[in-house]
Each structure stands twice: as structure tokens, then as C-alpha cells.
Amino acid sequence: MPELPEVETIKRQLSRTVLNKTICSVSIPDARVIKGISSRAFKSKVEGKKIKDIFRRGKVLVLKLEKTLYLIFHLRIAGWMTLSSDKERCARVIFGLSSGKKLCFCDSRVLGEVRLVSDWEKLPIIRAMGPEPWDISPARFVENCRSRSGRIKPLLMDQRFIAGIGNIYAQEALFCAGIDPGRKACTIAGERLEKLLYCLKKILRCALDKKGSTISTYRQVDGESGTMAEHFRVYQKKGRPCPRCGRIIRKTTIGGRGTCFCPGCQT
DNA sequence: AATGGGACCTGCGCGC
DNA sequence: TGCGCGCAGGTCCCAT
């Protein structure tokens, strides 16, 4: 999915456009994405409610409605959100707003989720979530890595460890920090781990500035692509020369996920 | 505790 | 042009 920068981009753009709008109608072209409640009950509880707040936690997007109801969106691998006057391609849930626009939850692979809850903080995925990257101190990050014998890349992607990082930004951050993605976390020197956290935040900020990475399906709320993919240095760069040392970028599998890295300068 | 595999889904690019 | 295969931004569950 959409990792932290993509979800944050959506959050910011929706904050400017749908806050205090009323959801007048709900249509559900594909009920498979609605979890934990029937689509009929979902529709009847959501219709007529005003959108009071919008926030993000990790890769989860939350719309707070009136009467302490929360709409929870998880875009997983291939989801995106748009606001337009038409029904969007791959729209699975469509919210008709008082502004006349349609807010569409789109998902080409139908792996995403939409929930309606009265207490978003009690959701298991939220309860188990680690700190946002901005909320962890370098010392704490180093400390937390020291007790982990697993590899650093799956650890970065573990939402319980740190929230919001996925397969793209984990690879880019490890490249930036010059760390081999297959290294055991506890074997990496503290100084290098501090650099990793610094790189991670730098890349997330950059991705946010570029409005996210459009690889295939992700779009900004207005349908435009995010441009961060133009700035990738290792992700999807297999066979190309490393921009830092010139060695050929390799691709391997770590934790079941494709992983690009430079065998020359990532140690 | 960590790792590997599969499941959930659809769609794209590639080789033949 | 058509088909089969591998692969894809995430997460959960199970076995070892």
C-alpha cells in the first residue's frame, strides 16, 4: 500500500476538502471491503453524518464522524482515495457528500478494508502499533534494535516496531544509510542505526513533499500521480548501477518480500 | 523468537 | 493476438 507518506497526503488533502461536509449517501459497489459490519448497517449508520475530523495513524486513515463514530480505512497494497464528481475506476465504496462531490474508496485488488467503529483506539491494529517515526528518539530506536535478532528490513516494516514503513521506504532508507537489509538488527552499530532513523525520516519527508509514490494504482485525492518514484535510488533499480558507488543493484528476497540493494555500499 | 509459506485478490508485463 | 506465469505498495495465520 500506500505507506505513511501516501496516507498522510490523502489525509492532508481530504482535510482541506471534506471536513464538516455531510455524507448524504453511501453506495457500496463491492461489499467485500466492508469488514465487521453488514453493508446495510454500514450504510444506515453513516448516512446523514457529518465528517468532524480526519487523522492518520501509521498507514491507517481515520474519519471521525458525528456521534463518536469513526470510519477506518486501510488501503493495503492497492487502495487509493479520490474526491471527484464521478464514480471512480475500482470504486468499492462511494460516499456522496453535501458538497456534491463523491468521496471514493478505490482498490484494484480488493485487499483493503473499511470499518465503522465507535472506539478507533481499541482496534487491534491500532493498539499493537508502534510509534510514529517522528515520535521515537534516536536513543530509543537504537535501544529497541539491540534486543532484536531478526533482520533489519522486516523489522523496519513491522508495524508494531515502528508505524507507517512499507517495502518501498524500508529499501530506500536502508540504501540511504548504507545498511545491508539482511543484517541482523542487533549487530548494527548504534551510530549506524541513528543514521538509519535519520535517513528514514528524511525519505518520508521527501516522499510527503512529492505527494507520495505512484507505482501503479496510488493517486492523490484529485487523481494526480505522486512523483516520489522519480527519486527512488534502489527500489525497482535491479540491474542498474548504484548511484553512489556504481556497483550493480541486486534484488533478493528478505522476509518474503522483494528487496533491492547495492552489494557494494550497503554493509 | 524468527523465518518461511500460504491466503486474501486483481491486474500488469513478459515470454512463447 | 492469446495464454500462462510471475510478480506486485500489506497483513494475518500457521507450521517449524
Side-chain angles (χ1 to χ4, degrees), chain A residues 10-23 50-54 63 82-83 97-99 101-103 221:
Chain A
I10 293 168
K11 188 215 88 175
R12 290 182 182 183
Q13 297 181 345
L14 289 183
S15 296
R16 292 200 293 267
T17 48
V18 307
L19 222 45
N20 292 313
K21 300 294 185 291
T22 298
I23 298 172
K50 190 180 279 189
I51 300 167
K52 300 300 288 182
D53 197 9
I54 303 177
L63 264 62
T82 58
L83 187 66
L97 305 181
S98 50
S99 60
K101 300 275 191 182
K102 290 176 164 56
L103 175 61
V221 164

Side-chain angles (χ1 to χ4, degrees), chain A residues 136-145 156 161-162 193 196-197:
Chain A
I136 186 165
S137 71
R140 188 60 183 274
F141 182 74
V142 172
E143 172 73 29
N144 290 352
C145 287
L156 279 185
F161 183 74
I162 187 165
L193 288 170
L196 175 57
L197 182 62

Side-chain angles (χ1 to χ4, degrees), chain A residues 6 42 66 68 84 86 94 103 106 124 126 149 154 172 205 210 229 239 250 253 256:
Chain A
E6 288 75 28
F42 180 89
E66 292 173 295
T68 60
S84 69
D86 303 309
I94 303 166
L103 175 61
C106 309
I126 299 293
S149 58
E172 290 294 325
R205 273 197 304 273
K210 309 294 177 199
R250 292 223 312 251
T253 300

